[in-house]
Amino acid sequence: MNISRQNIYLLGLSVFLLIFVLIFSFGVLIPNGKDYRVKRKELQDEQKKLRQLQNFSDDTSNVLQRLQTDNRHIITAFENSFSVERFEKLHSKFFSTLKLSKIEKSENENIFSVYEVNTTSAISSPKSFYNFLEAVNKSDWIVGINFPINFKRDSETISSSFTMKVYANAQTPQDLNTTK
């Protein structure tokens, strides 16, 4: 066998490089490849969760926008402050006398005001009262009429008495934006 020195060096270098590539492959690439597959699977799961949450967020945003447009009148009515004088002026046409008196707030009524309403109407039926209720529904405030509504007939007049709750912010808009 006649192998030249140059071929021996070349064969030795090739064997060394082969051993280095095998050690590098089994020592570094294959274990990192397993980590890579695990991390890629985790990334796919996270992207799936992100898409689901993004879809949920988009759906919730669409519902919120739809509710805001459908209930714009209620939202603006809630922001209006209640004026007893304006209420009496607007709704006195339904009654011969209309008197509101504010009732003290109880501890669970801190976001709305309660008013006792006493009216006298010169009518033979409570139709003007129903017209009043219809007008209250279209007013600039959120008003809840509470039962019982007491009607009392005195000759040609019908007296009515009931309580109503006027829902309005007890705080100013700046107070609502601050955190507690």
Side-chain angles (χ1 to χ4, degrees):
M1 287 215 191
N2 198 5
I3 303 176
S4 72
R5 196 176 243 191
Q6 188 176 16
N7 285 339
I8 291 176
Y9 287 142
L10 192 59
L11 181 65
L13 184 61
S14 298
V15 169
F16 174 75
L17 286 175
L18 178 66
I19 291 172
F20 177 76
V21 166
L22 289 175
I23 290 173
F24 183 74
S25 298
F26 288 110
V28 176
L29 291 179
I30 292 175
N32 285 345
K34 289 178 184 177
D35 289 342
Y36 170 75
R37 285 190 298 276
V38 168
K39 299 235 186 254
R40 185 178 66 189
K41 176 71 173 146
E42 289 175 2
L43 178 64
Q44 290 172 345
D45 292 343
E46 291 295 323
Q47 286 176 337
K48 182 180 177 183
K49 287 178 186 177
L50 177 65
R51 280 191 305 273
Q52 289 173 342
L53 291 174
Q54 186 65 41
N55 289 340
F56 177 73
S57 173
D58 292 343
D59 293 343
T60 304
S61 176
N62 290 338
V63 168
L64 174 65
Q65 289 175 353
R66 182 180 49 83
L67 288 173
Q68 283 178 334
T69 57
D70 291 348
N71 300 309
R72 183 164 311 281
H73 177 72
I74 295 170
I75 293 169
T76 56
F78 187 69
E79 294 171 352
N80 291 335
S81 60
F82 182 72
S83 167
V84 175
E85 297 82 20
R86 185 167 175 244
F87 183 85
E88 288 176 348
K89 182 179 177 183
L90 285 175
H91 300 293
S92 63
K93 63 185 172 190
F94 298 105
F95 307 102
S96 50
T97 62
L98 173 66
K99 181 181 160 209
L100 272 75
S101 55
K102 188 170 184 172
I103 298 176
E104 291 296 321
K105 294 180 183 179
S106 64
E107 56 192 53
N108 62 348
E109 297 173 340
N110 58 358
I111 61 166
F112 53 88
S113 303
V114 180
Y115 289 89
E116 177 77 30
V117 179
N118 294 308
T119 63
T120 305
S121 306
I123 57 170
S124 60
S125 72
K127 180 163 176 44
S128 68
F129 181 76
Y130 295 117
N131 292 338
F132 162 73
L133 289 179
E134 195 172 308
V136 165
N137 282 336
K138 296 176 183 175
S139 69
D140 293 339
W141 306 289
I142 298 177
V143 177
I145 306 293
N146 296 334
F147 291 98
I149 299 171
N150 299 316
F151 290 104
K152 185 177 179 183
R153 184 172 184 100
D154 297 325
S155 66
E156 290 299 316
T157 62
I158 296 177
S159 299
S160 61
S161 176
F162 57 93
T163 59
M164 70 178 193
K165 291 183 180 176
V166 178
Y167 295 87
N169 284 330
Q171 303 163 331
T172 63
Q174 294 84 11
D175 292 340
L176 293 174
N177 291 331
T178 60
T179 56
K180 293 182 179 181

